[in-house]
Amino acid sequence: MAKKQKQEEVEEVAIAAVKPTKNPKPVKPDWEVKDRTYILTGNKEPLTFTIPGKHTRKHALLWYDSLKGEQRELRYATNMSSPFVDEQKGEVTLGHITFRDGTLHVPKERVALQKLLSLYHPMKKLRYKELIPQQIADDEIDAIEWEIEALNAARNMDIDIAEAIVRVEYGSKVNKMSSKELKRDLLLLAKQNPKLFLSLAADENVQLRNFAINAVEANIIRISPDQRSVHWTSNDRKLMNVPFEENPYSAIASWFKTDEGIEVFKSIEKRL
């Protein structure tokens, strides 16, 4: 009787020790299986454009494996599941990587080619990029916001600053422009290249450079024939030396920020 009771106690303890197992959390795969599209960079759309699919002396197709500490040779083989030569066993069938009209569509079944293009190919971002809808939307939003900011700045810009910025693009043609033509070209520059426009608008040297050009064109100061010095036109007194291989107008713009240059700037400003 005692032996039977002891056996029942052991069984109860064993049953109590068992814990229900939890369902393991699904692990996200390293590679998402999906169709992918690649496009050439620089808005280029040639009829056909082929990039290297194997390593040659002319076109190195290598990828540095930091875990192994070595360069691994790449090769596109249509009958292999890996783009690495050291993982391709047996006879291989080489394939061509050709963009048509600037685009290459790769179905999800061609995993080796997708991995080669998305992860390892040295020409990625240089000659082509993967088309990612979310990233494209983000880039387009950024571009639109840059354009809006630039156009708003151009619309409210003082005419002297506008002239300085447009002069960077069109040079002496600015002198023959009417105020409306100047405003039009300013808005076009802001629309076509908003980042450059905002950069020029924030650069005080652009305005000082334009001031120097106006002073020379008004015959208040002159630049020596060898472009190495700047003088008063009235008495030929030298104001400054131009550093070697520097644009004289850029040098004058920088000089206007010095103590002596500020006084000359004020004097010129009264005469313009």
Side-chain angles (χ1 to χ4, degrees):
M1 183 69 179
K3 185 176 181 180
K4 184 177 180 181
Q5 185 178 359
K6 186 176 181 180
Q7 185 177 358
E8 289 177 354
E9 290 177 356
V10 172
E11 289 177 354
E12 288 177 2
V13 172
I15 293 172
V18 177
K19 294 182 179 180
T21 57
K22 294 182 179 180
N23 294 328
K25 293 182 179 180
V27 179
K28 187 177 181 180
D30 294 335
W31 180 258
E32 184 180 357
V33 178
K34 64 177 183 179
D35 296 337
R36 297 174 188 268
T37 300
Y38 305 88
I39 59 174
L40 296 178
T41 56
N43 296 321
K44 296 179 181 178
E45 297 182 358
L47 290 176
T48 60
F49 182 82
T50 302
I51 63 174
K54 65 177 181 178
H55 176 69
T56 62
R57 294 179 63 182
K58 186 176 181 180
H59 299 289
L61 208 59
L62 300 169
W63 182 77
Y64 180 73
D65 191 330
S66 57
L67 296 178
K68 294 186 176 183
E70 62 182 22
Q71 295 271 27
R72 299 180 67 186
E73 184 177 339
L74 297 163
R75 178 173 62 190
Y76 171 46
T78 59
N79 62 332
M80 295 291 166
S81 59
S82 171
F84 292 108
V85 172
D86 55 25
E87 294 179 355
Q88 297 175 358
K89 306 301 180 183
E91 186 176 348
V92 299
T93 304
L94 299 181
H96 296 287
I97 307 174
T98 302
F99 291 75
R100 301 188 185 281
D101 296 324
T103 304
L104 174 60
H105 300 287
V106 183
K108 59 185 178 183
E109 293 80 11
R110 298 166 68 183
V111 177
L113 179 56
Q114 285 191 358
K115 287 187 175 181
L116 175 60
L117 293 172
S118 295
L119 303 177
Y120 308 119
H121 205 290
M123 286 189 176
K124 183 186 177 185
K125 295 183 180 179
L126 297 176
R127 304 304 297 270
Y128 74 91
K129 61 183 178 181
E130 184 175 352
L131 193 63
I132 303 175
Q134 178 62 40
Q135 184 177 339
I136 292 173
D138 292 342
D139 292 344
E140 288 178 345
I141 290 173
D142 288 342
I144 292 171
E145 289 178 345
W146 277 106
E147 184 177 327
I148 292 172
E149 183 179 352
L151 287 171
N152 285 335
R155 186 179 61 180
N156 301 317
M157 185 167 285
D158 183 79
I159 190 66
D160 291 334
I161 302 176
E163 179 186 327
I165 292 175
V166 174
R167 189 184 291 276
V168 173
E169 288 293 300
Y170 298 102
S172 59
K173 292 181 181 179
V174 172
N175 299 332
K176 300 178 182 179
M177 289 183 179
S178 65
S179 58
K180 287 188 176 181
E181 289 174 329
L182 189 65
K183 194 72 172 181
R184 176 203 62 198
D185 288 350
L186 184 74
L187 290 169
L188 285 174
L189 176 60
K191 181 178 178 62
Q192 294 168 358
N193 200 334
K195 288 187 178 181
L196 172 63
F197 174 84
L198 292 172
S199 174
L200 293 173
D203 187 355
E204 63 177 4
N205 278 349
V206 171
Q207 300 174 43
L208 291 174
R209 179 187 169 100
N210 186 61
F211 184 86
I213 293 172
N214 286 333
V216 171
E217 291 177 347
N219 207 30
I220 298 173
I221 59 176
R222 70 174 184 85
I223 300 172
S224 63
D226 61 1
Q227 307 277 295
R228 298 302 305 275
S229 60
V230 180
H231 304 253
W232 284 116
T233 303
S234 58
N235 57 16
D236 204 35
R237 182 170 69 86
K238 185 167 71 173
L239 296 173
M240 60 165 290
N241 291 318
V242 178
F244 183 66
E245 291 188 347
E246 185 172 347
N247 181 282
Y249 292 109
S250 297
I252 297 172
S254 299
W255 181 72
F256 278 149
K257 298 178 184 179
T258 65
D259 292 340
E260 184 182 0
I262 290 173
E263 296 303 319
V264 173
F265 178 90
K266 292 178 180 178
S267 177
I268 295 173
E269 193 174 29
K270 294 176 182 178
R271 305 183 194 188
L272 284 175

